[in-house]
Amino acid sequence: MPLLNSLSGHPASVLASRVTPDRRRHKRVAVALLGRFMLANKQEYPCKLVDVSVGGAAMMSPVDVAEGERIVAYFDQIGGLEGTVTRVFEGGFAMALIATQHKREKLAAQLMLIINTDGNAAVGDRRHQRIIPREPKSNLQLADGTIAACEVLDVSISGASIATPMRPVMGDEVVLGKLRGRVVRHHERGFAIEFMDIQNPTALRRYFG
């Protein structure tokens, strides 16, 4: 995808230099992660994360956004981020995150893991080990109450990839079996969800293994 390739070609140091420093309450971690974000009108675009904290994030974007715009973004390594644009700069924007205390604690743990490994996260790495279910067939309930059969392609303690003709919008809440999650990404065979809570590995293997 040309837009995505154009974003991936900028060194993280160059991208970070474009963001005007400000006085922040939360320490930001410089990262260079590719992802996608969705505007309030449901249009999706590729993006590249520049830095992130439990309170906010800055990212490069191929399109202009307006201050006050509601954004839902997804990155494989840290999951979904939701917030409101507070500042725009050349080639991107910064947003204040809208998150529960549980989500902020979860994000803080993920950022600490990045800091304690190599200071960044390689694009495409999985945050948690994924398993291929022996019995992939399951039921899916959409936000409007629609229930349909689906196939679980893979699952981890933090989320799952689902094969289905259904295409709920990013950010919608769904229920996979008995596990509640949020749609964070579409793919050729269906979509991926991030669970609302980190699951117990033993129970997850018993349920899907």
Side-chain angles (χ1 to χ4, degrees), residues 37-166:
F37 74 93
M38 182 179 68
L39 301 175
N41 62 8
K42 309 303 183 184
Q43 290 184 312
E44 294 183 27
Y45 301 96
C47 61
K48 185 171 185 178
L49 195 61
V50 177
D51 59 47
V52 61
S53 75
V54 296
M59 62 192 74
M60 305 305 295
S61 164
V63 297
D64 294 331
V65 299
E67 289 190 14
E69 177 82 37
R70 187 70 170 259
I71 298 290
V72 177
Y74 177 79
F75 305 90
D76 277 342
Q77 296 81 356
I78 59 176
L81 299 177
E82 184 174 354
T84 302
V85 176
T86 55
R87 181 165 50 89
V88 296
F89 52 85
E90 183 182 357
F93 60 89
M95 71 179 190
L97 298 186
I98 301 171
T100 62
Q101 183 62 29
H102 174 73
K103 174 64 177 178
R104 293 181 193 276
E105 292 173 356
K106 179 180 174 182
L107 179 58
Q110 292 166 336
L111 296 180
M112 185 60 66
L113 179 62
I114 291 175
I115 293 173
N116 290 338
T117 51
D118 60 358
N120 206 329
V123 174
D125 284 353
R126 294 287 192 178
R127 291 175 295 146
H128 302 112
Q129 180 182 5
R130 300 232 164 188
I131 60 174
I132 307 298
R134 287 200 301 265
E135 178 46 65
K137 297 186 183 301
S138 186
N139 290 322
L140 179 71
Q141 180 176 330
L142 302 184
D144 63 1
T146 300
I147 299 177
C150 68
E151 179 182 350
V152 181
L153 300 176
D154 60 54
V155 63
S156 77
I157 61 174
S158 62
S161 179
I162 303 167
T164 172
M166 304 286 188

